[in-house]
Amino acid sequence: MEMSLIALASITVVSILFLFKFLIKESRGSKNLPKGSLGLPVIGETIGFINALEKEQGAEWINKKVAKYGPIFKTSIACTPMVCIVGQAGNRFIHGSGNDVFSTNQPKTIRDLHGNNTIFELSGSRYILVKKAILSFLKPENLQNYVGRMDDLVTATLQKEIKEKDTIKVVDFMKKLTYNVACDILFGIHDVATKEAFLDDFRLVFKAFGSFPIKYPGSPYSQGLQAKERISNRFLPILRKRKEELSTGVLSPTNDVVSCLLSLRDENEEPIPEEVVVDNFRFIMIASHDTTAVLLSLTMWKLSRDKQIFSEVLKEHMDILRSKAAATEEKLTWDDIQKMKYTWQVAQEMMRIFPPAIANFRKALKDTNFGGYDIPKGWMVFSVPHGTHMEKDIFSSPTEFDPSRFDKSSKPIPPYAYIPFGAGTHICIGNEFARIETLTAIHKLVTQFEWSQVHPDETITRKAMPFPSMGLPIKIRPRIPT
């Protein structure tokens, strides 16, 4: 009882101090903050927001705020004061402003899981250096060479997954697939035991992103932080071996992303610190794995439910198969990927309705203002894709699923209106890699297999990202050739 009273008193004192800090900041930092609520001391409005996400009602949570306070409002999530700006003009302001106004920093609780040296957290010359290195690895001429390897990886993962099975969970399969692709192509990690050990801990980190961000023994958030440290410790010997292999000429800087980063030299011809490579390894693995798994799972969910969409997709891929048979080329090529236009339109429409990230965050580097309101230095700002994705003046009949919106002959989509990958100078640098991976996987699935949903009424739920609520179990069997 005594310990409980002490703990309660401690929490109360911390809460009062935290609230007092906010009140002081509001009274002296800005004269005209947006309307809204910072919620409870310390936790802010985090609980309500997470509860809404779990029910795939994050958009509704934000819409209620907009209805009450307007398209610019303040809140506090993950122990961080924030300003939400909804709409195309707000997207342009957040994503189009210079690096002297906003940085790509994430809220502290998210940053603690990613690390302090990711491409989101770096600034200045080091940010430019790391970004250029990753972009060089993902440039179009390199991506063309990855198509055949992706074909092999998708085929091998599929064969292993369905061996002696007639039912699989699509979400689990897509996570395995995207993880294998990232390990092989991006990071050059091929040892099965090493990959499995990493994956166990990455799963804990993924789970932590969708949990309440508070540290106590056994909490998902604490387990995620511990897993993050184990990933770092396990990766360091790999990093140092790569460094040695680079110095002896066994590896080249173009071998994988890690080798590319280790080969960097700053303006003083010094290598970047190991912690920068480690943090970006974790970050890129998370970004390349979960977001693409989301897109693939949701696309399969849609194809399972919509016969017309499925028929159009199947026709496109069967046409590619027939053309390849005439050319006696078995593996997919870069030219084949470019022919999958309708399939990518379906994927784009899925991301319009179910964007992988509910929000895109930035941090104010100086006092600024927008729409007549002040935004204090140090506060986070965020845009929400659904604010324009579901705007009827931009996308007619926005609740209808219509892939033709993304046909080049259709009405052009205004800049900063479609932002599943972000926008501006900080747009996701892996979006083309994700496109190739998505199209390769869909091609193999629709041309080689037939399937049906186990639960036809399965809905979408969201933790950090949206997934079919039951993991999308399907009955699957090889397609009979016609």
Side-chain angles (χ1 to χ4, degrees), residues 117-292:
N117 300 284
T118 70
I119 193 169
F120 267 171
E121 304 301 326
L122 296 175
S123 60
S125 60
R126 182 162 290 173
Y127 164 76
I128 294 171
L129 188 69
V130 171
K131 181 178 179 179
K132 282 184 176 179
I134 298 172
L135 279 173
S136 70
F137 191 81
L138 297 173
K139 60 188 177 183
E141 51 266 43
N142 286 344
L143 292 175
Q144 295 181 35
N145 298 325
Y146 304 150
V147 177
R149 288 169 66 184
M150 282 193 186
D151 187 312
D152 289 337
L153 286 164
V154 172
T155 301
T157 308
L158 262 172
Q159 289 175 347
K160 182 178 179 181
E161 184 71 11
I162 66 170
K163 187 178 181 181
E164 299 178 356
K165 293 181 185 177
D166 65 355
T167 303
I168 65 170
K169 277 194 171 183
V170 169
V171 171
D172 290 344
F173 169 72
M174 293 306 180
K175 287 187 175 184
K176 288 177 187 176
L177 173 63
T178 55
Y179 179 73
N180 285 340
V181 169
C183 283
D184 186 282
I185 296 178
L186 295 180
F187 300 113
I189 298 173
H190 308 293
D191 180 69
V192 174
T194 301
K195 289 197 294 184
E196 289 179 353
F198 273 129
L199 183 56
D200 288 340
D201 280 330
F202 272 115
R203 283 172 175 154
L204 291 174
V205 176
F206 297 145
K207 185 177 180 181
F209 279 113
S211 68
F212 188 74
I214 189 168
K215 302 176 187 177
Y216 62 85
S219 73
Y221 189 73
S222 293
Q223 289 179 348
L225 291 172
Q226 291 164 4
K228 167 199 164 186
E229 293 306 314
R230 288 195 297 271
I231 292 168
S232 299
N233 293 334
R234 187 175 290 115
F235 182 67
L236 275 171
I238 297 173
L239 179 153
R240 287 163 185 164
K241 184 178 179 181
R242 296 276 172 89
K243 192 182 293 186
E244 181 182 334
E245 291 173 332
L246 282 166
S247 66
T248 57
V250 174
L251 291 180
S252 75
T254 59
N255 190 75
D256 53 73
V257 172
V258 176
S259 300
C260 188
L261 291 174
L262 289 172
S263 301
L264 291 179
R265 295 295 181 269
D266 62 18
E267 60 272 17
N268 298 317
E269 290 301 312
E270 293 291 328
I272 61 174
E274 287 184 344
E275 56 264 28
V276 174
V277 182
V278 173
D279 282 2
N280 280 284
F281 161 70
R282 280 196 319 269
F283 172 74
I284 295 169
M285 180 68 83
I286 291 168
S288 64
H289 168 274
D290 234 24
T291 51
T292 309

Side-chain angles (χ1 to χ4, degrees), residues 50-70:
I50 288 178
N51 286 340
L53 290 183
E54 289 181 348
K55 299 172 185 175
E56 185 47 24
Q57 294 176 355
E60 288 83 348
W61 187 89
I62 290 168
N63 289 342
K64 287 180 182 178
K65 298 282 186 184
V66 171
K68 186 174 182 179
Y69 302 119

Side-chain angles (χ1 to χ4, degrees), residues 323-438:
S323 68
K324 292 183 72 61
T328 66
E329 172 63 52
E330 293 185 3
K331 290 185 184 180
L332 286 173
T333 65
W334 178 256
D335 289 340
D336 295 328
I337 295 293
Q338 307 318 307
K339 295 174 184 175
M340 302 177 190
K341 292 181 172 60
Y342 181 76
T343 307
W344 186 240
Q345 290 168 18
V346 172
Q348 287 176 293
E349 181 71 340
M350 287 306 304
M351 290 187 288
R352 183 186 69 83
I353 295 176
F354 296 107
I358 190 69
N360 295 296
F361 295 96
R362 297 288 186 270
K363 182 179 179 180
L365 297 178
K366 61 184 179 182
D367 290 342
T368 186
N369 59 78
F370 179 78
Y373 293 105
D374 295 321
I375 301 172
K377 176 183 177 180
W379 277 44
M380 303 298 296
V381 297
F382 68 97
S383 63
V384 286
H386 83 267
T388 48
H389 288 195
M390 304 304 289
E391 172 56 58
K392 64 180 183 300
D393 292 334
I394 298 173
F395 297 100
S396 60
S397 303
T399 58
E400 294 182 9
F401 191 88
D402 181 9
S404 69
R405 302 177 197 276
F406 297 94
D407 191 302
K408 288 185 178 180
S409 62
S410 298
K411 174 184 173 184
I413 298 172
Y416 297 97
Y418 180 69
I419 56 169
F421 293 110
T425 57
H426 291 286
I427 193 169
C428 175
I429 59 179
N431 56 1
E432 186 65 6
F433 187 89
R435 184 180 76 95
I436 297 170
E437 187 174 5
T438 298

Side-chain angles (χ1 to χ4, degrees), residues 22-23 26 32-39 45 61 65-66 69-77 80-85 373-376 379-382:
F22 269 166
L23 291 174
E26 286 204 40
N32 190 29
L33 285 170
K35 298 175 183 177
S37 171
L38 295 175
E45 297 188 301
W61 187 89
K65 298 282 186 184
V66 171
Y69 302 119
I72 309 170
F73 64 87
K74 69 173 180 284
T75 182
S76 176
I77 300 171
T80 307
M82 303 182 180
V83 173
C84 177
I85 304 176
Y373 293 105
D374 295 321
I375 301 172
W379 277 44
M380 303 298 296
V381 297
F382 68 97

